[in-house]
Amino acid sequence: MRVPFAADLASYGDRPAILTDTLTLTYRDLAERVADLAFRLGTERRLIALAATNDLESLVAYLAALAGGHPLILLPEDRSAALESLVAAYDPDVIVRSGNGRTVLEERRPGTRHELHPDLALLLSTSGSTGSPKLVRLSHANLQSNAESISEYLNIGPDDRVATTLPISYCYGLSVINSHLLRGAGVVLTNLSVVDPCFWELFRNRGATAFAAVPYTFELLERVGFAEMELPTLRYVTQAGGRLAPEMVQRYAGLGGRQGWDLFVMYGQTEATARMAYLPPELAATVPGAIGIPVPGGAFRIDPVPGQEHGELVYTGPNVMLGYAETAGDLGKGRSINELRTGDLARQHPTGVYEVVGRRSRFVKIVGLRVDLGQVERLLADLGVQAASAGTDDGLVVAVEGDHDKRLLGKVLAQGMGLPRAALQIHTVQHLPRLVTGKLDYRAVLALSRPEPEPAHVDTAADGPGSVRRIFADALEVADIADGDTFVSLGGDSLSYVAASVRLEHALGQVPPDWHVTPVRDLEARPGNLPARKLRRFFAPLETSIVLRAVGIVLIVSTHVGLFSWQGAAHVLMAVAGYNFARFQLSGERLQRLRRQLASLARIVVPSMAFIAAAHLVTDNYTPANLLLLNAIIGPEAVTTQWHFWFIEILVYLLLGMTALLAVPWADRAERRFPLLLPLAMTGAGLLTRYEVVNPGVPHTAPALWLFALGWTIARSRTAAQRCMVSAIAALTVPGFFENTTREGTLLAGILILIWLPSIPVPKGLRRLMVVLASASLYAYLVHWLVYPPLAGISPALAVAASLAAGVAYWDLCMRVIKAATRRRTRTKKSHNRVLPATAPTA
């Protein structure tokens, strides 16, 4: 047997079937590729395992298996451990992988050693990508019938085009592709995330009409400003993969109503091929918590459950699986069930739609993946850890008995269950909570996730002085802050980061390293002012870039004054500048981040030019070239007082160059698609100047470009392997640059600290001072050239202290001016936007 929609692709002729950013493949072309691969797979039915990703080669391999009648085990390409586990359990005849535009067949034997039932078409995991040997057996008829019912209630036509937002290895993502290919519609094939502006550019360019979402997708849509996007071809959005909050259903249904698209809330399980129910869009406003009505061809009933107010939802239809497989011997079995007991407790609404009100079994669905809570406990038990797990569709809560490394266990569970680490909470307890009967008390486990009451002295009310919103409002001079806003999206940069981070730590306790790109709602959900550890009675952690900026400016000023000599700090700060550029200036859509980059640049240029203008008036050390920050380009080659501001000039050139580069669409796309490779390439370009292969013609540019790009690369290094790579680059390229081992050691140490230490403990008594010095470091660099000369002969220490104090004073003055200008601009904008009453027409 074959799946008809996979075998009849050619019937749609030259209609576009697959669209990417560089390719349009017609149905005729797709059918030819599918036929070619089916020929390579052979005519004898064999068991195939496909490690799939959202690329053309994986899709062709999937369709070729269906068209050729080969049973297929489908797994995500990035889960090698899961693939190895299932290969060991089922011993497939062929393993198919894609890579570099090629399809690789690992032929393990010429024929098959398995007994394969004639109806068997597809084997999918019920638990996401864990590698559990328990698989769902789906038939050719299951796939065809579910694709037909979905395409019927969505009214999919040949002119529709759906953009892939979910993995092909996930039953929901797969059903999206099946239902569109069935109707001759187009599939905009991409691995891009909805937070990537390139996704929406592709969506518009290809005229996409639909995309699929799980509940977490809507959180991402909030972050990227989906409600304000112009998507003229969008016809509908589907949602499944877990319960979406009713208020979100109403919100997005209303948004769709205003913008001309429909929201289809759906309900399904892998055991039903994909979909069992959908909520007609016109009912989303009145019954937003419902799963809807059965898909065409399906039916529900509710069976009583002893001891429960509501019964269990039972589904029947042609898309109900054949049964489960746990060993290779199960592949020869036929149908073992005719109806699906969902495990969900449900009721029927007076309008006729169904509502799920609870669960009978111990499963939760997190970020679209169904998680067996019992399997969580068994996985930990295999490690010798006694645990109890509970959870909701929002996340997993695990209590472990005894003293264990929570970070290690969290990492093991995240990898073992295929879940994001942020969806897991691990709590150590002396004894697992139990009921009087001796059974585990799962309600008590779930209660561990509730935040502790906040201490009375911490004000985290929505508008209190200790609230996240108030801190952001004070630091950034913004009034309207939405739940989905982040520090960066509100215009935060490295200059405002320091003060905001310290206030946040005071209000919330330890904050996450990525707090600057974390939505306000998530920061507000954190418990306030966590109890300090014993080690923190005298020390407090301070973010590494802040420490480097504070220590760096002290070393620079002290060296210039002559208090002592410790060179290399300025070059460390150039790497820190690149690090902060990547953290604060590279989020949001292209035009949005261009505006942010220019605004941040202005916060450096304007105070610098203002001070240098004043210095030019009172001394004869500087020229108009200094005033315009052009001395490095048109000034004298000899090092004179005119080179005092080289650091600021080179930093401005680099920021201007990077801003101009990323304003180019192809460069913007490259940075988003290859966030690590682009700064690595820039580092390589900088090394050409560092080793004098290329002469940029501007002194100091050689180390600056190299170090700035290296700092950018550090910010984009997410894994230990990537950090090791960047460390190796630094260790190989720093030595020999200055021909001064102390200076090179300072630079290398600063870079390695930035790579490996997210924060550094500092004495509590010095913490506030270091925060102020870091905030004022740029300004102290400017003013110290005028402050220290008359004082150095009296006391070098006094000259250093006076220079730093003057820098702090100038920083404070500039911040007050910026805030006043921002408030005035805001008031002017509001007055211009005020609606005036209409005047009556005159005769």
Side-chain angles (χ1 to χ4, degrees):
M1 291 187 64
R2 301 183 301 172
V3 179
F5 73 77
D8 299 337
L9 296 170
S11 64
Y12 291 107
D14 292 328
R15 294 201 63 82
I18 308 299
L19 305 97
T20 69
D21 54 348
T22 59
L23 171 74
T24 299
L25 198 69
T26 68
Y27 270 90
R28 181 176 286 108
D29 294 335
L30 178 61
E32 289 178 0
R33 295 197 185 199
V34 169
D36 289 343
L37 186 55
F39 177 78
R40 292 174 62 190
L41 293 174
T43 56
E44 180 182 359
R45 294 184 78 221
R46 296 194 289 173
L47 181 63
I48 298 172
L50 171 60
T53 186
N54 284 15
D55 62 13
L56 181 58
E57 290 72 33
S58 294
L59 182 56
V60 169
Y62 163 69
L63 294 170
L66 297 188
H70 302 284
L72 180 70
I73 301 174
L74 191 57
L75 279 169
E77 176 268 340
D78 60 348
R79 297 289 177 179
S80 57
L83 177 62
E84 291 173 6
S85 174
L86 289 175
V87 166
Y90 287 93
D91 190 18
D93 303 309
V94 185
I95 299 175
V96 183
R97 296 180 174 90
S98 67
N100 299 322
R102 297 171 52 248
T103 302
V104 180
L105 302 186
E106 182 185 329
E107 298 271 2
R108 307 181 79 220
R109 61 187 62 91
T112 184
R113 64 173 54 176
H114 301 290
E115 181 182 350
L116 304 172
H117 193 275
D119 293 338
L120 183 62
L122 186 64
L123 294 142
L124 293 176
S125 171
T126 62
S127 304
S129 53
T130 66
S132 167
K134 187 175 183 179
L135 300 178
V136 170
R137 294 183 292 121
L138 298 175
S139 70
H140 306 89
N142 288 153
L143 295 172
Q144 184 72 17
S145 65
N146 204 227
E148 289 175 350
S149 64
I150 293 171
S151 61
E152 179 180 338
Y153 70 74
L154 292 179
N155 193 27
I156 297 173
D159 293 330
D160 280 312
R161 294 181 178 182
V162 66
T164 56
T165 52
L166 303 169
I168 189 177
S169 55
Y170 173 34
C171 72
Y172 180 17
L174 194 61
S175 72
V176 170
I177 293 174
N178 292 346
S179 56
H180 282 75
L181 293 181
L182 174 79
R183 292 290 184 94
V187 176
V188 182
L189 193 61
T190 177
N191 264 321
L192 294 172
S193 166
V194 296
V195 299
D196 191 333
C198 295
F199 172 86
W200 298 109
E201 185 175 345
L202 177 64
F203 192 98
R204 296 184 189 96
N205 291 343
R206 289 305 196 178
T209 60
F211 67 90
V214 296
Y216 180 61
T217 308
F218 289 90
E219 294 185 26
L220 301 180
L221 294 178
E222 293 284 305
R223 298 184 190 182
V224 298
F226 173 74
E228 287 75 43
M229 289 184 184
E230 293 186 8
L231 303 170
T233 58
L234 180 60
R235 188 170 72 82
Y236 65 87
V237 176
T238 63
Q239 182 271 317
R243 183 175 184 267
L244 184 64
E247 57 271 20
M248 290 292 284
V249 173
Q250 289 178 317
R251 177 177 175 182
Y252 276 86
L255 177 64
R258 294 188 298 273
Q259 296 184 350
W261 51 266
D262 291 324
L263 174 67
F264 285 86
V265 175
M266 307 189 299
Y267 168 78
Q269 292 181 3
T270 308
E271 289 86 342
T273 309
R275 307 276 67 79
M276 288 184 283
Y278 73 98
L279 183 64
E282 61 271 17
L283 297 180
T286 54
V287 281
I291 61 170
I293 58 177
V295 299
F300 283 132
R301 74 169 190 271
I302 297 176
D303 284 355
V305 176
Q308 296 282 357
E309 178 184 358
H310 302 287
E312 182 180 9
L313 190 65
V314 181
Y315 176 80
T316 57
N319 51 316
V320 172
M321 67 176 178
L322 297 173
Y324 293 110
E326 297 192 63
T327 67
D330 294 332
L331 303 181
K333 293 181 179 179
R335 180 170 293 279
S336 59
I337 66 169
N338 293 301
E339 60 184 22
L340 180 61
R341 307 195 72 85
T342 65
D344 288 325
L345 302 178
R347 65 188 176 198
Q348 192 168 17
H349 192 271
T351 61
V353 299
Y354 289 83
E355 295 177 295
V356 171
V357 295
R359 295 187 186 275
R360 183 176 183 178
S361 57
R362 297 196 64 235
F363 285 89
V364 291
K365 188 171 280 189
I366 301 172
V367 294
L369 301 178
R370 194 168 66 164
V371 177
D372 181 350
L373 297 176
Q375 185 183 357
V376 173
E377 296 172 2
R378 290 191 295 272
L379 191 155
L380 291 175
D382 290 341
L383 300 175
V385 178
Q386 296 299 311
S389 62
T392 66
D393 287 356
D394 294 325
L396 185 66
V397 184
V398 182
V400 295
E401 194 170 85
D403 187 15
H404 295 280
D405 186 337
K406 294 191 292 184
R407 292 184 62 185
L408 177 60
L409 292 181
K411 184 176 180 180
V412 169
L413 277 181
Q415 293 177 347
M417 302 304 297
L419 290 171
R421 180 62 183 86
L424 299 171
Q425 290 186 37
I426 311 293
H427 299 270
T428 55
V429 295
Q430 187 174 2
H431 300 289
L432 294 179
R434 296 186 182 273
L435 302 169
V436 292
T437 60
K439 295 182 179 180
L440 288 169
D441 185 352
Y442 289 108
R443 289 188 176 181
V445 173
L446 193 59
L448 293 173
S449 66
R450 297 170 187 158
E452 295 294 328
E454 294 166 358
H457 65 280
V458 177
D459 182 1
T460 57
D463 57 351
S467 76
V468 174
R469 293 170 201 267
R470 174 62 67 83
I471 292 169
F472 282 8
D474 291 347
L476 305 175
E477 287 295 320
V478 292
D480 299 324
I481 300 178
D483 287 347
D485 286 336
T486 68
F487 178 79
V488 171
S489 72
L490 292 169
D493 58 16
S494 60
L495 297 178
S496 50
Y497 171 86
V498 179
S501 67
V502 173
R503 286 187 61 187
L504 276 179
E505 286 186 5
H506 177 74
L508 303 178
Q510 187 174 1
V511 295
D514 61 347
W515 70 263
H516 56 293
V517 290
T518 300
V520 168
R521 79 167 74 83
D522 296 342
L523 290 174
E524 288 180 332
R526 294 177 66 86
N529 223 347
L530 299 176
R533 298 175 184 173
K534 290 182 179 180
L535 184 62
R536 295 184 181 175
R537 292 178 60 187
F538 305 106
F539 290 86
L542 196 57
E543 202 266 328
T544 298
S545 69
I546 298 176
V547 176
L548 291 177
R549 287 165 64 181
V551 173
I553 193 59
V554 171
L555 294 180
I556 290 169
V557 173
S558 298
T559 298
H560 290 168
V561 171
L563 181 63
F564 54 76
S565 178
W566 195 320
Q567 295 182 315
H571 293 85
V572 173
L573 294 187
M574 192 61 73
V576 173
Y579 176 78
N580 284 330
F581 175 79
R583 296 171 75 201
F584 301 113
Q585 305 301 328
L586 297 182
S587 65
E589 295 191 14
R590 181 163 55 92
L591 293 179
Q592 179 188 35
R593 75 181 188 180
L594 176 61
R595 287 192 293 268
R596 187 186 307 121
Q597 289 162 358
L598 292 175
S600 181
L601 190 59
R603 294 182 66 179
I604 297 174
V605 170
V606 174
S608 298
M609 294 180 70
F611 177 80
I612 295 171
H616 177 57
L617 293 176
V618 299
T619 74
D620 57 0
N621 292 337
Y622 309 114
T623 69
N626 293 117
L627 175 61
L628 299 174
L629 302 180
L630 293 175
N631 183 74
I633 298 175
I634 62 176
E637 292 187 6
V639 177
T640 67
T641 56
Q642 296 173 35
W643 279 95
H644 281 171
F645 306 108
W646 74 266
F647 181 91
I648 293 173
E649 291 181 3
I650 298 299
L651 178 60
V652 169
Y653 301 164
L654 286 172
L655 292 174
L656 274 174
M658 298 306 168
T659 298
L661 174 65
L662 295 175
V664 179
W666 67 262
D668 177 79
R669 289 193 296 270
E671 191 281 325
R672 296 176 195 278
R673 187 168 299 180
F674 308 108
L676 180 62
L677 291 180
L678 182 64
L680 273 176
M682 298 297 296
T683 303
L687 287 173
L688 293 178
T689 63
R690 179 257 184 269
Y691 289 107
E692 300 181 355
V693 176
V694 175
N695 182 5
V698 179
H700 296 292
T701 302
L705 177 58
W706 157 48
L707 294 171
F708 184 93
L710 192 62
W712 181 351
T713 308
I714 293 169
R716 289 295 191 243
S717 299
R718 304 299 187 201
T719 66
Q722 292 170 348
R723 289 192 289 271
C724 286
M725 175 191 66
V726 181
S727 300
I729 292 173
L732 291 172
T733 57
V734 170
F737 180 70
F738 294 114
E739 298 181 356
N740 179 320
T741 54
T742 302
R743 193 174 184 183
E744 291 166 356
T746 298
L747 176 56
L748 183 58
I751 292 172
L752 293 177
I753 288 171
L754 191 62
I755 294 171
W756 292 102
L757 298 181
S759 63
I760 298 174
V762 299
K764 282 191 172 181
L766 295 178
R767 190 169 186 269
R768 183 172 179 81
L769 175 63
M770 295 186 75
V771 167
V772 172
L773 288 176
S775 301
S777 55
L778 176 76
Y779 305 86
Y781 181 85
L782 277 168
V783 305
H784 86 286
W785 294 112
L786 259 65
V787 173
Y788 85 79
L791 297 175
I794 302 172
S795 168
L798 175 63
V800 170
S803 297
L804 296 175
V808 171
Y810 186 47
W811 162 70
D812 183 66
L813 172 64
C814 291
M815 291 303 101
R816 292 175 185 271
V817 171
I818 290 172
K819 289 183 178 182
T822 303
R823 285 193 293 267
R824 183 173 181 178
R825 185 168 62 250
T826 301
R827 287 195 298 268
T828 303
K829 185 176 180 180
K830 287 183 177 179
S831 65
H832 286 169
N833 292 338
R834 191 172 296 133
V835 179
L836 299 176
T839 57
T842 57

